[in-house]
Amino acid sequence: MILFYSDSGVSVGYEYMPEIVIIGEIANFAAYAYAPAILVTPLGALSIIFSAVLAHFILKERLHIFGMLGCALCVVGSTTIVLHAPKERHIESVKQVWHLATEPGFLVYFWVVLAVVAVIIFQYVPRYGQTHLVVYIGICSLMGSLTVMGVKAVGIALKLSFGGVNQFKYFETWIFTIIVIFCCLLQINYLNKALDTFNTAVVCPVYYVMFTTFTIIASIIMFKDWNSQGGTEITTELCGFITILSGTFLLHKTKDMGKSSSGRLPVYTSPEPNTVTESR
């Protein structure tokens, strides 16, 4: 992170080092290879907590009481999901992932998502893209759920290949790779449009909610994460997810609370009395 200063010595902006972003994305990529998506995706809210804490110490932004409460809710929700998350399915070959992806349930979800995204792009984006946030975010979230499933398949292939069993000799691995590239490009394109058109404070929580929801649905259909769990565990996970959503919205909705341009209380001066000159 590089800090810029104006002539007066006041910091005017920050630029994030791309190396740090790349490292974070590689770690996120690896997480999908070792844990179910229903666990990894909601934990993305932890990045909001670290951002808020770092902004408090580095950017000197005040973390008010609602920000602390939002962070606490995210921590509680994340802990709840971690403690009750389903176990990762044991997979020995990318062909097993291909078998799960080509079962009727996920095939229906896959083609329904593509059909809905196509309708939104060609019918609703030209008319409502600039006025309705859900249009751009809906495309990003739907394609994002397919991206995560593809990323998980490629991550498993890499993990097994590094373990000595080459998975890139199978055509299924390359199909998953192509799907990931296509979905990522489409997702990034419309996410950038959403950020350029609407307020970031609104885009971020809405995108997080929709993306996480569709990813969990896709993971449940494809990997059948909830088949080995009972009603209590599933209900607890849903409560943890709702708790994270509450903390995320609270952080974003109240992040500008208490800010002032100069950090001082405004000073009000009484207007000068009007002078009236009598004509004689």
Side-chain angles (χ1 to χ4, degrees):
M1 183 181 290
I2 303 173
L3 178 61
F4 295 94
Y5 288 91
S6 63
D7 295 335
S8 60
V10 180
S11 60
V12 295
Y14 285 77
E15 180 181 345
Y16 291 93
M17 297 175 61
E19 295 83 359
I20 302 299
V21 178
I22 293 173
I23 292 173
E25 292 304 320
I26 291 174
N28 191 38
F29 186 94
Y32 283 110
Y34 292 93
I38 196 174
L39 168 63
V40 176
T41 307
L43 293 184
L46 293 178
S47 64
I48 301 174
I49 299 176
F50 287 110
S51 297
V53 174
L54 290 176
H56 176 74
F57 290 103
I58 298 177
L59 301 179
K60 305 303 180 183
E61 293 183 358
R62 179 173 173 267
L63 188 61
H64 48 74
I65 185 64
F66 290 107
M68 296 178 185
L69 179 59
C71 291
L73 288 173
C74 289
V75 170
V76 171
S78 301
T79 305
T80 303
I81 291 179
V82 169
L83 293 177
H84 298 86
K87 294 181 179 180
E88 172 71 348
R89 179 189 290 265
H90 180 67
I91 296 177
E92 298 178 351
S93 172
V94 74
K95 286 184 172 291
Q96 289 180 253
V97 184
W98 179 260
H99 175 72
L100 294 172
T102 53
E103 288 187 352
F106 188 75
L107 281 178
V108 171
Y109 177 82
F110 179 82
W111 291 110
V112 167
V113 166
L114 291 184
V116 172
V117 168
V119 170
I120 295 175
I121 290 176
F122 293 107
Q123 295 292 329
Y124 292 95
V125 167
R127 289 191 250 174
Y128 306 109
Q130 299 295 318
T131 56
H132 293 73
L133 172 65
V134 72
V135 174
Y136 288 147
I137 297 302
I139 297 173
C140 298
S141 303
L142 288 168
M143 297 306 296
S145 66
L146 299 182
T147 302
V148 170
M149 298 302 103
V151 164
K152 187 168 180 64
V154 176
I156 292 173
L158 287 171
K159 179 181 70 173
L160 295 175
S161 297
F162 289 143
V165 184
N166 184 19
Q167 299 295 308
F168 287 88
K169 62 183 179 181
Y170 302 121
F171 74 91
E172 292 90 347
T173 303
W174 295 105
I175 292 179
F176 282 126
T177 303
I178 293 172
I179 291 174
V180 168
I181 294 173
F182 171 76
C183 293
C184 278
L185 292 176
L186 194 64
Q187 185 180 353
I188 292 172
N189 178 45
Y190 284 98
L191 182 58
N192 285 333
K193 289 185 178 182
L195 292 172
D196 289 340
T197 307
F198 303 98
N199 190 343
T200 305
V202 179
V203 171
C204 290
V206 173
Y207 174 62
Y208 173 78
V209 171
M210 294 184 66
F211 168 72
T212 306
T213 301
F214 284 121
T215 300
I216 290 176
I217 293 173
S219 181
I220 292 170
I221 295 174
M222 180 171 171
F223 292 97
K224 302 174 178 60
D225 294 321
W226 283 351
N227 284 7
S228 60
Q229 292 189 296
T232 303
E233 289 83 2
I234 295 174
T235 303
T236 306
E237 290 171 22
L238 291 176
C239 291
F241 178 49
I242 294 173
T243 304
I244 292 177
L245 297 185
S246 302
T248 302
F249 269 101
L250 188 61
L251 272 171
H252 279 281
K253 290 295 184 182
T254 62
K255 70 176 185 176
D256 294 327
M257 182 179 294
K259 285 185 178 180
S260 61
S261 58
S262 62
R264 301 176 181 176
L265 293 175
V267 178
Y268 297 96
T269 58
S270 58
E272 297 181 359
N274 295 326
T275 58
V276 179
T277 303
E278 295 183 2
S279 57
R280 298 185 180 180

